[in-house]
Amino acid sequence: MRIDILSLFPEMFTGPFSESILSRARQAGLIDVHITNPRDFSADKHHKVDDIPFGGGSGMVLKPEPFFDALNAVKSVGAADKCRVILLSPKGQRFTQDKAKQLAEYEQLIFICGHYEGFDARIEAELPDEMISIGDYVLTGGELPAMVIVDAVSRMIPGVLHADDSAETDSFYNGILEYPQYTRPRDYLGREVPKVLFSGNHALIERWRKKEALKDTLRYRPDLLTEYKPETKAEKKIYDEARLELAE
Ligand code: 9D3
């Protein structure tokens, strides 16, 4: 996948994209990330990218030309339906795991980052296929949201994660939190690992994990369970036990 980011602050991306999984995905040729500064496309001799708002008012507005021209420069010539242009904005639809999965199917993603001063409305109206927000809180720009989305999308691309890193493959835990995990030592200053994990009984361990996952979900994210429907009698029993044990 080719990923293009249009940003007036290209240096912000150097750290996160040079570390860990994203760096390995780039080295493996699974993702190809390019940062473009719309300032380099400013027609103006001072490389101006913003100007005062028509009609008056405070603040500045991001000019159309640098963004229209920068987008044209990074858009590949391939099929239009294989490329998605995303403008990061508090006006956008909320980013979700589902959206990450959908975006992972494209051959090219182009992210347009702005900042507090806001885009000329003609940029928003014409350039993006969609606008995305990462949540209802105010940031200083679209750079961190772009990094969040690139991170979430990259790990959905086949080959970026090791097979055993993928929680998505385990339908047994879909829509609920993950089960609690333990490693050595068996006894940490008197805090013992639950005995069932040493039983060697895999069915029993699975059942325990499912129940503890449900308990954690009830405890920390009960909002996730409004949609939860036990599929079988056995699952219903685990769910009832989870609620009972939590109430104790
Ligand atoms: C004065 C009204 N503000 C909207 C709440 C204007 C405004 C504030 C902050 C316009 C842009 C920004 C910068 N934020 C983003 O560009 C942004 C963002 C965010 O602030 N929160 C969550 N997701 C995103 S995606 C892009």
Side-chain angles (χ1 to χ4, degrees):
M1 174 186 281
R2 181 178 162 115
I3 297 170
D4 282 280
I5 298 171
L6 308 190
S7 166
L8 297 167
F9 302 99
E11 301 80 16
M12 284 184 74
F13 296 90
T14 50
F17 289 170
S18 308
E19 288 297 330
S20 187
I21 288 168
L22 284 184
S23 154
R24 269 188 277 129
R26 289 178 85 173
Q27 274 167 3
L30 293 167
I31 57 170
D32 180 19
V33 185
H34 295 260
I35 319 289
T36 300
N37 192 340
R39 191 176 293 280
D40 298 338
F41 293 83
S42 172
D44 177 89
K45 69 168 182 284
H46 298 108
H47 299 284
K48 246 170 60 147
V49 292
D50 55 10
D51 209 336
I52 53 173
F54 279 127
S58 62
M60 300 287 273
V61 180
L62 293 168
K63 292 164 65 61
E65 315 89 66
F67 287 89
F68 273 74
D69 291 351
L71 181 61
N72 267 334
V74 301
K75 249 190 181 164
S76 300
V77 274
D81 64 332
K82 294 185 170 161
C83 172
R84 193 82 173 158
V85 179
I86 296 147
L87 186 141
L88 288 317
S89 167
K91 296 179 190 175
Q93 291 283 307
R94 180 88 59 88
F95 186 60
T96 61
Q97 187 60 35
D98 253 10
K99 179 56 74 176
K101 276 183 207 161
Q102 289 166 24
L103 294 180
E105 301 293 324
Y106 288 92
E107 286 178 8
Q108 184 183 20
L109 295 180
I110 305 175
F111 295 94
I112 305 175
C113 306
H115 42 111
Y116 199 85
E117 48 194 9
F119 294 102
D120 181 289
R122 292 164 291 187
I123 297 173
E124 290 177 346
E126 230 172 287
L127 301 191
D129 294 306
E130 64 182 308
M131 296 201 283
I132 299 182
S133 156
I134 61 164
D136 293 337
Y137 35 82
V138 183
L139 302 170
T140 55
E143 281 78 10
L144 288 168
M147 290 182 222
V148 165
I149 295 169
V150 169
D151 192 277
V153 170
S154 298
R155 64 182 288 289
M156 301 311 294
I157 295 171
V160 170
L161 287 191
H162 295 292
D164 57 335
D165 286 341
S166 174
E168 274 66 41
T169 57
D170 199 347
S171 64
F172 196 54
Y173 296 102
N174 260 354
I176 67 173
L177 298 182
E178 58 205 297
Y179 54 79
Q181 302 210 77
Y182 295 87
T183 187
R184 285 182 284 219
R186 211 178 149 136
D187 181 330
Y188 176 64
L189 307 178
R191 302 155 179 91
E192 286 185 18
V193 174
K195 285 194 177 53
V196 60
L197 297 177
F198 310 107
S199 68
N201 184 336
H202 293 294
L204 203 65
I205 291 170
E206 272 303 279
R207 191 181 194 283
W208 179 86
R209 284 178 166 169
K210 176 81 185 212
K211 196 200 291 183
E212 293 306 311
L214 281 167
K215 281 160 77 177
D216 268 1
T217 312
L218 284 162
R219 217 180 261 130
Y220 304 123
R221 291 295 307 275
D223 56 300
L224 294 178
L225 286 172
T226 53
E227 306 278 293
Y228 182 74
K229 267 237 157 272
E231 301 268 307
T232 60
K233 267 200 171 148
E235 279 212 10
K236 170 91 171 76
K237 184 138 186 292
I238 298 174
Y239 187 45
D240 289 342
E241 286 177 19
R243 277 188 301 190
L244 216 69
E245 286 174 27
L246 207 71
E248 279 169 7

PDB file of all heavy atoms in Angstrom, residues 88-90 114-116 132-135 137-142 145, ligand 1:
ATOM      1  N   LEU A  88      -8.530  14.864   7.362  1.00  0.00           N
ATOM      2  CA  LEU A  88      -8.687  14.772   8.813  1.00  0.00           C
ATOM      3  C   LEU A  88      -9.344  16.041   9.314  1.00  0.00           C
ATOM      4  O   LEU A  88      -8.834  17.144   9.048  1.00  0.00           O
ATOM      5  CB  LEU A  88      -7.326  14.599   9.488  1.00  0.00           C
ATOM      6  CG  LEU A  88      -6.610  13.257   9.355  1.00  0.00           C
ATOM      7  CD1 LEU A  88      -7.572  12.101   9.544  1.00  0.00           C
ATOM      8  CD2 LEU A  88      -5.885  13.132   8.045  1.00  0.00           C
ATOM      9  N   SER A  89     -10.469  15.879  10.009  1.00  0.00           N
ATOM     10  CA  SER A  89     -11.194  17.050  10.488  1.00  0.00           C
ATOM     11  C   SER A  89     -12.114  16.687  11.636  1.00  0.00           C
ATOM     12  O   SER A  89     -12.676  15.585  11.661  1.00  0.00           O
ATOM     13  CB  SER A  89     -12.042  17.624   9.347  1.00  0.00           C
ATOM     14  OG  SER A  89     -12.963  18.563   9.852  1.00  0.00           O
ATOM     15  N   PRO A  90     -12.282  17.613  12.597  1.00  0.00           N
ATOM     16  CA  PRO A  90     -13.270  17.379  13.659  1.00  0.00           C
ATOM     17  C   PRO A  90     -14.684  17.225  13.098  1.00  0.00           C
ATOM     18  O   PRO A  90     -15.574  16.725  13.792  1.00  0.00           O
ATOM     19  CB  PRO A  90     -13.176  18.637  14.533  1.00  0.00           C
ATOM     20  CG  PRO A  90     -11.874  19.281  14.182  1.00  0.00           C
ATOM     21  CD  PRO A  90     -11.600  18.902  12.752  1.00  0.00           C
ATOM     22  N   GLY A 114      -4.820  19.317   8.241  1.00  0.00           N
ATOM     23  CA  GLY A 114      -4.879  20.769   8.410  1.00  0.00           C
ATOM     24  C   GLY A 114      -4.557  21.078   9.851  1.00  0.00           C
ATOM     25  O   GLY A 114      -4.070  20.231  10.582  1.00  0.00           O
ATOM     26  N   HIS A 115      -4.834  22.299  10.231  1.00  0.00           N
ATOM     27  CA  HIS A 115      -4.744  22.574  11.655  1.00  0.00           C
ATOM     28  C   HIS A 115      -5.764  23.595  12.070  1.00  0.00           C
ATOM     29  O   HIS A 115      -6.723  23.847  11.331  1.00  0.00           O
ATOM     30  CB  HIS A 115      -3.328  22.905  12.116  1.00  0.00           C
ATOM     31  CG  HIS A 115      -2.561  23.793  11.204  1.00  0.00           C
ATOM     32  ND1 HIS A 115      -2.229  25.054  11.538  1.00  0.00           N
ATOM     33  CD2 HIS A 115      -2.086  23.573   9.955  1.00  0.00           C
ATOM     34  CE1 HIS A 115      -1.566  25.596  10.534  1.00  0.00           C
ATOM     35  NE2 HIS A 115      -1.465  24.721   9.576  1.00  0.00           N
ATOM     36  N   TYR A 116      -5.610  24.105  13.256  1.00  0.00           N
ATOM     37  CA  TYR A 116      -6.668  24.858  13.917  1.00  0.00           C
ATOM     38  C   TYR A 116      -7.324  25.927  13.044  1.00  0.00           C
ATOM     39  O   TYR A 116      -8.528  26.134  13.096  1.00  0.00           O
ATOM     40  CB  TYR A 116      -6.134  25.479  15.222  1.00  0.00           C
ATOM     41  CG  TYR A 116      -7.257  25.869  16.142  1.00  0.00           C
ATOM     42  CD1 TYR A 116      -7.817  24.923  16.992  1.00  0.00           C
ATOM     43  CD2 TYR A 116      -7.792  27.150  16.137  1.00  0.00           C
ATOM     44  CE1 TYR A 116      -8.872  25.234  17.822  1.00  0.00           C
ATOM     45  CE2 TYR A 116      -8.862  27.476  16.957  1.00  0.00           C
ATOM     46  CZ  TYR A 116      -9.387  26.516  17.797  1.00  0.00           C
ATOM     47  OH  TYR A 116     -10.435  26.814  18.603  1.00  0.00           O
ATOM     48  N   ILE A 132     -12.576  12.253   8.233  1.00  0.00           N
ATOM     49  CA  ILE A 132     -12.526  11.404   9.431  1.00  0.00           C
ATOM     50  C   ILE A 132     -12.013  12.211  10.617  1.00  0.00           C
ATOM     51  O   ILE A 132     -11.084  13.003  10.498  1.00  0.00           O
ATOM     52  CB  ILE A 132     -11.625  10.156   9.206  1.00  0.00           C
ATOM     53  CG1 ILE A 132     -12.186   9.287   8.068  1.00  0.00           C
ATOM     54  CG2 ILE A 132     -11.499   9.342  10.491  1.00  0.00           C
ATOM     55  CD1 ILE A 132     -11.388   8.013   7.803  1.00  0.00           C
ATOM     56  N   SER A 133     -12.646  11.979  11.779  1.00  0.00           N
ATOM     57  CA  SER A 133     -12.204  12.494  13.075  1.00  0.00           C
ATOM     58  C   SER A 133     -11.810  11.286  13.917  1.00  0.00           C
ATOM     59  O   SER A 133     -12.321  10.189  13.694  1.00  0.00           O
ATOM     60  CB  SER A 133     -13.363  13.240  13.743  1.00  0.00           C
ATOM     61  OG  SER A 133     -13.191  13.274  15.148  1.00  0.00           O
ATOM     62  N   ILE A 134     -10.890  11.444  14.876  1.00  0.00           N
ATOM     63  CA  ILE A 134     -10.574  10.291  15.726  1.00  0.00           C
ATOM     64  C   ILE A 134     -11.310  10.349  17.063  1.00  0.00           C
ATOM     65  O   ILE A 134     -11.183   9.439  17.874  1.00  0.00           O
ATOM     66  CB  ILE A 134      -9.055  10.075  15.934  1.00  0.00           C
ATOM     67  CG1 ILE A 134      -8.392  11.274  16.612  1.00  0.00           C
ATOM     68  CG2 ILE A 134      -8.373   9.751  14.606  1.00  0.00           C
ATOM     69  CD1 ILE A 134      -6.998  10.932  17.167  1.00  0.00           C
ATOM     70  N   GLY A 135     -12.084  11.399  17.297  1.00  0.00           N
ATOM     71  CA  GLY A 135     -12.844  11.448  18.540  1.00  0.00           C
ATOM     72  C   GLY A 135     -13.210  12.871  18.898  1.00  0.00           C
ATOM     73  O   GLY A 135     -12.676  13.826  18.334  1.00  0.00           O
ATOM     74  N   TYR A 137     -12.618  15.425  20.835  1.00  0.00           N
ATOM     75  CA  TYR A 137     -11.737  16.258  21.644  1.00  0.00           C
ATOM     76  C   TYR A 137     -10.946  17.101  20.656  1.00  0.00           C
ATOM     77  O   TYR A 137     -10.773  16.711  19.500  1.00  0.00           O
ATOM     78  CB  TYR A 137     -10.785  15.418  22.521  1.00  0.00           C
ATOM     79  CG  TYR A 137     -10.338  14.151  21.858  1.00  0.00           C
ATOM     80  CD1 TYR A 137      -9.286  14.163  20.944  1.00  0.00           C
ATOM     81  CD2 TYR A 137     -11.001  12.957  22.094  1.00  0.00           C
ATOM     82  CE1 TYR A 137      -8.895  13.009  20.311  1.00  0.00           C
ATOM     83  CE2 TYR A 137     -10.614  11.791  21.457  1.00  0.00           C
ATOM     84  CZ  TYR A 137      -9.560  11.823  20.564  1.00  0.00           C
ATOM     85  OH  TYR A 137      -9.183  10.681  19.920  1.00  0.00           O
ATOM     86  N   VAL A 138     -10.484  18.262  21.083  1.00  0.00           N
ATOM     87  CA  VAL A 138      -9.867  19.205  20.156  1.00  0.00           C
ATOM     88  C   VAL A 138      -8.350  19.068  20.175  1.00  0.00           C
ATOM     89  O   VAL A 138      -7.710  19.232  21.211  1.00  0.00           O
ATOM     90  CB  VAL A 138     -10.276  20.658  20.484  1.00  0.00           C
ATOM     91  CG1 VAL A 138      -9.681  21.613  19.456  1.00  0.00           C
ATOM     92  CG2 VAL A 138     -11.793  20.794  20.514  1.00  0.00           C
ATOM     93  N   LEU A 139      -7.788  18.750  19.025  1.00  0.00           N
ATOM     94  CA  LEU A 139      -6.338  18.669  18.849  1.00  0.00           C
ATOM     95  C   LEU A 139      -5.854  19.912  18.122  1.00  0.00           C
ATOM     96  O   LEU A 139      -6.660  20.763  17.739  1.00  0.00           O
ATOM     97  CB  LEU A 139      -5.988  17.410  18.051  1.00  0.00           C
ATOM     98  CG  LEU A 139      -6.460  16.079  18.658  1.00  0.00           C
ATOM     99  CD1 LEU A 139      -6.284  14.939  17.670  1.00  0.00           C
ATOM    100  CD2 LEU A 139      -5.695  15.797  19.941  1.00  0.00           C
ATOM    101  N   THR A 140      -4.538  20.012  17.929  1.00  0.00           N
ATOM    102  CA  THR A 140      -4.010  21.192  17.232  1.00  0.00           C
ATOM    103  C   THR A 140      -3.946  20.973  15.731  1.00  0.00           C
ATOM    104  O   THR A 140      -3.746  21.917  14.973  1.00  0.00           O
ATOM    105  CB  THR A 140      -2.612  21.545  17.751  1.00  0.00           C
ATOM    106  OG1 THR A 140      -1.770  20.400  17.626  1.00  0.00           O
ATOM    107  CG2 THR A 140      -2.667  21.983  19.206  1.00  0.00           C
ATOM    108  N   GLY A 141      -4.089  19.734  15.265  1.00  0.00           N
ATOM    109  CA  GLY A 141      -4.021  19.485  13.831  1.00  0.00           C
ATOM    110  C   GLY A 141      -4.365  18.053  13.474  1.00  0.00           C
ATOM    111  O   GLY A 141      -4.649  17.229  14.354  1.00  0.00           O
ATOM    112  N   GLY A 142      -4.309  17.747  12.186  1.00  0.00           N
ATOM    113  CA  GLY A 142      -4.665  16.419  11.702  1.00  0.00           C
ATOM    114  C   GLY A 142      -3.503  15.433  11.685  1.00  0.00           C
ATOM    115  O   GLY A 142      -3.679  14.275  11.304  1.00  0.00           O
ATOM    116  N   PRO A 145      -3.974  12.465  14.305  1.00  0.00           N
ATOM    117  CA  PRO A 145      -5.009  11.574  13.768  1.00  0.00           C
ATOM    118  C   PRO A 145      -4.534  10.762  12.551  1.00  0.00           C
ATOM    119  O   PRO A 145      -4.822   9.569  12.461  1.00  0.00           O
ATOM    120  CB  PRO A 145      -6.143  12.538  13.395  1.00  0.00           C
ATOM    121  CG  PRO A 145      -6.000  13.654  14.373  1.00  0.00           C
ATOM    122  CD  PRO A 145      -4.517  13.827  14.564  1.00  0.00           C
TER     123      PRO A 145
HETATM  124  C1  9D3 B   1     -13.177  26.484  16.444  1.00  0.00           C
HETATM  125  C2  9D3 B   1     -13.803  25.224  16.086  1.00  0.00           C
HETATM  126  N1  9D3 B   1     -12.865  24.122  16.049  1.00  0.00           N
HETATM  127  C3  9D3 B   1     -13.589  22.845  15.821  1.00  0.00           C
HETATM  128  C4  9D3 B   1     -13.863  22.110  17.117  1.00  0.00           C
HETATM  129  C5  9D3 B   1     -11.929  24.341  14.934  1.00  0.00           C
HETATM  130  C6  9D3 B   1     -10.812  23.379  14.860  1.00  0.00           C
HETATM  131  C7  9D3 B   1     -10.162  22.939  15.993  1.00  0.00           C
HETATM  132  C8  9D3 B   1      -9.094  22.038  15.889  1.00  0.00           C
HETATM  133  C9  9D3 B   1     -10.385  22.938  13.616  1.00  0.00           C
HETATM  134  C10 9D3 B   1      -9.334  22.060  13.523  1.00  0.00           C
HETATM  135  C11 9D3 B   1      -8.682  21.629  14.661  1.00  0.00           C
HETATM  136  C12 9D3 B   1      -7.542  20.706  14.547  1.00  0.00           C
HETATM  137  N2  9D3 B   1      -7.971  19.314  14.617  1.00  0.00           N
HETATM  138  C13 9D3 B   1      -7.912  18.519  13.565  1.00  0.00           C
HETATM  139  O1  9D3 B   1      -7.465  18.916  12.517  1.00  0.00           O
HETATM  140  C14 9D3 B   1      -8.417  17.170  13.693  1.00  0.00           C
HETATM  141  C15 9D3 B   1      -9.005  16.470  14.798  1.00  0.00           C
HETATM  142  C16 9D3 B   1      -9.298  16.870  16.140  1.00  0.00           C
HETATM  143  O2  9D3 B   1      -9.067  17.981  16.593  1.00  0.00           O
HETATM  144  N3  9D3 B   1      -9.892  15.941  16.956  1.00  0.00           N
HETATM  145  C17 9D3 B   1     -10.187  14.691  16.550  1.00  0.00           C
HETATM  146  N4  9D3 B   1      -9.958  14.285  15.317  1.00  0.00           N
HETATM  147  C18 9D3 B   1      -9.363  15.172  14.461  1.00  0.00           C
HETATM  148  S1  9D3 B   1      -8.999  14.852  12.877  1.00  0.00           S
HETATM  149  C19 9D3 B   1      -8.368  16.342  12.588  1.00  0.00           C
END
